[in-house]
């Protein structure tokens, strides 16, 4: 495993962050196998959310923390304030409710990295920054940020924080993969645009990108003729992405890696800190992603993979 750092978090953070959506109290055997396996390879950062599994994912993590007595070894990234049937919840009441519930279910006193799962542009950033700082001062969270927030709103939030001598957003979590989406996978979701990439390059604000492997687009399971996965077809099928797949395969053959490992390495080689989220459903899937950490890509290879250069 390789590691990076995030201001405000004392421990080094594994560059590959394990998404836990598949974990559930309905299947603790699989949950324990995956979590134990991830930590056995040196992983230490877990991504979860209040809405995952209707709470069963957070409860499963709580049971695992309790049985393994290892909460202090984990960098816990949790998300909250996702809208529900009652409407938007990016407000002090929604945030407080979700933090309290998450802490209870996960049997912990604090969350290392807390991300707002969505944004509500109708709520002034000052209200949100003030609220998150209150939870930080109370010790419930260490650092915070936004998932599916625009860079403009993050910048506004951090300008407000600086002006009022408060802690600002420390991280962002949009979608980023070598395959560029045609449209959002789910409502309210955002992906990194070239303009966003330029902003992160300048600001160096760390990214925890979800769907970093584009729902398995680069595994070889799909082809232009295969229309069996409606969501993958809708979001990732395009001539440009099939050319990216071809290039990832070609470069992988040259370097001794799979196209999927090259695609994950692309996310790891951005000109700003990245901690890609990956969601293995088996130990085999987990192990197949690890070699991406050993791939070395030159800046020109990164541009070539993303069709920004015609010459390798």
């Amino acid at each position: 495993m390789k590691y990076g750092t995030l201001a405000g978090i004392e421990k080094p953070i594994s560059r590959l962050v394990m998404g836990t959506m598949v974990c559930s109290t309905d299947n603790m055997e699989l949950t324990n196998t995956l979590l134990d396996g991830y930590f056995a390879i040196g992983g230490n950062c877990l991504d979860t959310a209040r809405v995952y599994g209707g709470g069963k994912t957070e409860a499963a993590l709580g049971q695992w923390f309790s049985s393994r007595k290892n909460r202090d070894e984990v960098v816990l990234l949790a998300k909250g304030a996702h809208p529900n049937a009652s409407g938007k919840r990016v407000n002090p009441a929604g945030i407080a409710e979700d933090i309290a519930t998450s802490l209870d279910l996960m049997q912990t006193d604090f969350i290392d990295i807390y991300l707002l799962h969505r944004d509500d542009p109708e709520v002034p950033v000052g209200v949100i920054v003030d609220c998150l700082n209150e939870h930080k001062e109370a010790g419930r969270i260490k650092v915070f940020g936004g998932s599916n927030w625009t860079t403009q709103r993050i910048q506004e939030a951090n300008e407000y924080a600086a002006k009022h001598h408060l802690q600002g957003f420390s991280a962002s979590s949009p979608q980023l993969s070598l395959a560029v989406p045609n449209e959002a996978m789910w409502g309210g979701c955002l992906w990194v645009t070239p303009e966003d990439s330029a902003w992160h390059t300048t600001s160096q604000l760390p990214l925890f990108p979800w769907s970093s492997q584009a729902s398995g687009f680069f595994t070889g399971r799909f082809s232009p003729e295969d229309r069996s996965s409606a969501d993958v077809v809708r979001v990732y099928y395009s001539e440009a992405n099939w050319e990216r797949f071809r290039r990832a395969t070609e470069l992988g053959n040259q370097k001794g890696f799979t196209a999927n490992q090259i695609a994950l390495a692309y996310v790891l080689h951005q000109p700003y800190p990245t901690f890609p989220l990956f969601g293995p459903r088996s130990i085999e899937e987990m192990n197949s992603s690890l070699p991406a950490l050993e791939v070395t890509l030159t800046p020109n290879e990164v541009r070539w993979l993303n069709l920004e250069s015609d010459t390798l």
Side-chain angles (χ1 to χ4, degrees):
M1 184 58 68
K2 294 185 177 180
Y3 303 87
T5 59
L6 180 65
I9 302 299
E10 299 82 7
K11 291 184 283 293
I13 303 172
S14 51
R15 290 292 307 281
L16 292 182
V17 176
M18 181 177 156
T20 62
M21 191 179 291
V22 70
C23 298
S24 172
T25 50
D26 289 339
N27 193 340
M28 285 305 299
E29 182 178 358
L30 175 63
T31 294
N32 290 332
T33 296
L34 291 175
L35 295 176
D36 289 344
Y38 176 63
F39 270 72
I41 60 173
N44 73 343
C45 188
L46 299 175
D47 159 75
T48 191
R50 180 78 280 282
V51 297
Y52 288 177
K56 293 181 179 181
T57 296
E58 290 184 327
L61 292 181
Q63 291 187 27
W64 185 72
F65 291 147
S66 178
S67 64
R68 301 306 189 260
K69 310 297 183 187
N70 64 353
R71 172 64 188 92
D72 289 339
E73 301 172 33
V74 178
V75 177
L76 179 60
L77 185 159
K79 301 185 290 291
H82 192 285
N84 60 20
S86 299
K88 298 177 180 178
R89 302 179 60 256
V90 183
N91 53 61
I95 293 169
E97 178 184 5
D98 277 4
I99 289 177
T101 303
S102 292
L103 293 175
D104 180 60
L105 287 174
M106 291 190 286
Q107 303 183 43
T108 184
D109 296 325
F110 69 97
I111 293 165
D112 297 277
I113 307 169
Y114 192 72
L115 304 182
L116 299 176
H117 212 160
R118 293 290 192 275
D119 187 15
D120 181 357
E122 295 179 1
V123 179
V125 291
V127 173
I128 298 169
V129 171
D130 288 345
C131 170
L132 292 170
N133 271 271
E134 289 175 6
H135 288 288
K136 173 191 174 293
E137 291 303 316
R140 301 182 192 102
I141 61 178
K142 290 188 177 181
V143 302
F144 53 81
S147 179
N148 301 296
W149 276 55
T150 65
T151 54
Q152 292 88 346
R153 280 276 283 180
I154 293 174
Q155 182 166 322
E156 289 175 16
N158 284 352
E159 288 173 352
Y160 174 90
K163 181 178 179 180
H164 293 84
H165 308 289
L166 296 170
Q167 180 168 300
F169 279 36
S170 297
S172 178
S173 181
Q175 194 272 339
L176 173 64
S177 63
L178 177 57
V180 177
N182 302 313
E183 59 183 76
M185 178 65 77
W186 300 287
C189 289
L190 302 178
W191 61 89
V192 175
T193 66
E195 293 76 18
D196 295 332
S197 183
W199 185 88
H200 279 279
T201 300
T202 299
S203 69
Q204 289 296 295
L205 187 84
L207 221 66
F208 288 77
W210 53 270
S211 200
S212 59
Q213 293 173 300
S215 300
F217 182 82
F218 294 93
T219 60
R221 296 201 305 264
F222 305 103
S223 68
E225 298 75 30
D226 179 3
R227 320 290 288 188
S228 58
S229 177
D231 282 337
V232 174
V233 170
R234 173 177 60 86
V235 177
Y236 295 116
Y237 275 36
S238 69
E239 288 186 13
N241 282 339
W242 287 118
E243 174 61 14
R244 291 183 174 97
F245 174 80
R246 188 195 68 77
R247 294 188 182 194
T249 302
E250 178 183 334
L251 190 59
N253 288 337
Q254 292 180 19
K255 292 178 177 287
F257 294 93
T258 66
N260 198 44
Q261 291 159 358
I262 293 292
L264 183 53
Y266 167 84
V267 179
L268 288 161
H269 280 78
Q270 294 303 301
Y272 44 84
T274 59
F275 299 83
L277 276 54
F278 78 125
R281 295 177 177 273
S282 66
I283 294 297
E284 291 72 25
E285 284 190 7
M286 184 183 300
N287 291 337
S288 72
S289 295
L290 283 180
L293 293 164
E294 305 306 320
V295 176
T296 298
L297 298 177
T298 67
N300 185 61
E301 287 171 335
V302 171
R303 290 191 297 270
W304 182 78
L305 285 168
N306 196 35
L307 314 184
E308 299 171 59
S309 169
D310 292 327
T311 306
L312 181 58

